[in-house]
Every structure is written in C-alpha cells, then in structure tokens.
Amino acid sequence: MGRTAQLPGPVPDSVDHGGPMSLTGAYLDTAAQAVTLLGAPEVAASWERPSALTDMTVGGLAGHLAYQIFSVAPAVREPASREVPIPLLEHNARAAWIDAPLDGEANAGIRANGEDIASEGARVLLERARAALAEQRTALPVVRVGRVVFMPQTGWALSLDDFLLTRMMELAVHLDDLAVSVGIAAPELSATAFDPVLTLLARLAARRHGQTALLRALARAERAPSAINAI
C-alpha cells in the first residue's frame, strides 16, 4: 500500500521506557520466555520444516530469535562506548531491513545468519541461549545507568535502555512467529515489557504509514487500510 500523508506535527523521537531501571528486568523476563520457547519439544520436532516466515525454516527462525539474546553480550562484556547515542526512532529509520524487499540483501542476510546460528541443532542452540541468559541475569542489573552500546553491525550507538528495547521488540515479534510456526500458543509479555514494545511499534507504524492509518487500524477497522504493517 502507498503511504498515507502525515498529519501536521512530528512523531516524537523518544519512547517511554516505563520508568527508571525497568527495561533491564523487562528484557530479562522476555529473554527467559524466548529460552523457554526454544526448549519446547515442538520446536525441535519441526526444526527442518518451513516456518511462518518466507524462506526461513523453523530452525533458522529459532536461530534469529536466539540471536536477539546473543547480541546483548557486547553490552555486558565490552567497555561502554564513547560514541554519542542516536535517538531510538532514528535507529529504526536508518535500519537497512525496514523497507527492504524480502529477497533483498538485508533480509537475505538476516535469514542466512539465523540458519547459521541454528546449524548445530536445537539442543546446542538451547544450551547456548540458556548460558547467555544466565550471564546476563548477573551482569545486566549492575551495568551503570546511562551506558552507551555501540553496534558494529550498524555503525552507530544507542543508550543501553534503547538497545534493550530493540531486543525486546524483536523478541516479542519473533516469539509469536516461532510459536505460530510450530502450532503452539505464543507467550504473553509482562506489562513492563509489552507497554514499551507497543509504544515503539506504534511510533514506527505512525512514522511509516501516517497517523491517520494507524488510528484507523486501532479504532476504525472499517476505514483501516487492508494491510498495515507495524514495522
């Protein structure tokens, strides 16, 4: 669909994180839900089958889900970045995959990375995810407030809270993808995780489709576009 016109006034570049120090616990809770899902027998049984996402196996999708946890490791193992962090919505506006076609280089790379992470099988991936989460449960709560995380895959930095929110958004979306792929119910996020993820997705949808399209999708289904994508 074509993009609808924005109403006057910019979409704010800040996202409410739900209160001081709330993002660390919310991220850890969401990562724990991902680890639990990775351990579901239905996931291992469907490993080589197609997932709900185009051109991605269940194993590859599981690998991509686990990657969201693995990608937090530099935030707790490496020194804080001296880079100036960019706003969260600017990060998403710059992301190569946002408007890329499914067969484009960015999305093809994401799929290949997921399959590579999953290449040793369900059991090994689960053990790696459990170990990463255990390390983060100890390390993240004592990371200094205001820490800046440099992301080499993008070439820019985010505040730790903004970085964790990007991981929570990815975890939330792909928890549902993986659960649907293997025919089980998707876990529900805690309120401390769901609220900032919902706010971020709404901000992204408004930036991409316009305020009117988003308002209609939420409140006036009869006038909503037939397919409004959240991100």
Side-chain angles (χ1 to χ4, degrees):
M1 58 167 279
R3 296 189 183 186
T4 58
Q6 293 277 2
L7 292 180
V11 176
D13 277 337
S14 61
V15 175
D16 184 358
H17 291 149
M21 298 300 290
S22 65
L23 259 289
T24 293
Y27 160 76
L28 290 171
D29 287 347
T30 309
Q33 289 179 304
V35 171
T36 297
L37 181 58
L38 288 171
E42 293 88 347
V43 172
S46 303
W47 201 251
E48 302 294 336
R49 298 174 188 166
S51 75
L53 300 187
T54 302
D55 294 332
M56 213 168 194
T57 65
V58 167
L61 178 54
H64 185 59
L65 180 66
Y67 169 75
Q68 311 312 320
I69 301 172
F70 301 151
S71 67
V72 176
V76 298
R77 293 178 182 171
E78 298 177 5
S81 174
R82 294 179 179 269
E83 296 281 333
V84 176
I86 67 171
L88 180 55
L89 294 186
E90 177 63 21
H91 159 75
N92 284 283
R94 293 185 188 183
W97 56 267
I98 288 287
D99 290 314
L102 283 175
D103 59 353
E105 182 178 352
N107 283 313
I110 289 171
R111 292 192 295 271
N113 185 58
E115 298 289 350
D116 183 61
I117 290 171
S119 62
E120 293 185 277
R123 182 185 296 274
V124 172
L125 183 64
L126 177 60
E127 290 173 352
R128 289 183 59 202
R130 282 175 173 163
L133 178 58
E135 178 187 26
Q136 292 167 23
R137 283 194 185 281
T138 300
L140 274 176
V142 297
V143 171
R144 289 183 59 185
V145 177
R147 185 182 181 92
V148 175
V149 179
F150 180 73
M151 297 178 296
Q153 69 271 30
T154 64
W156 58 79
L158 292 174
S159 70
L160 177 62
D161 270 3
D162 282 350
F163 176 69
L164 291 179
L165 181 48
T166 68
R167 299 309 90 194
M168 282 185 0
M169 182 190 76
E170 292 279 351
L171 287 168
V173 170
H174 296 307
L175 276 166
D176 181 52
D177 290 333
L178 185 56
V180 168
S181 297
V182 300
I184 60 179
E188 290 201 355
L189 305 183
S190 67
T192 54
F194 181 72
D195 289 351
V197 166
L198 177 62
T199 299
L200 175 56
L201 289 173
R203 297 284 191 209
L204 294 175
R207 172 171 282 189
R208 184 174 187 181
H209 299 285
Q211 293 179 10
T212 299
L214 177 60
L215 287 170
R216 288 174 178 173
L218 293 173
R220 291 289 181 264
E222 68 275 14
R223 293 202 299 271
S226 58
I228 178 172
N229 296 318
I231 54 176

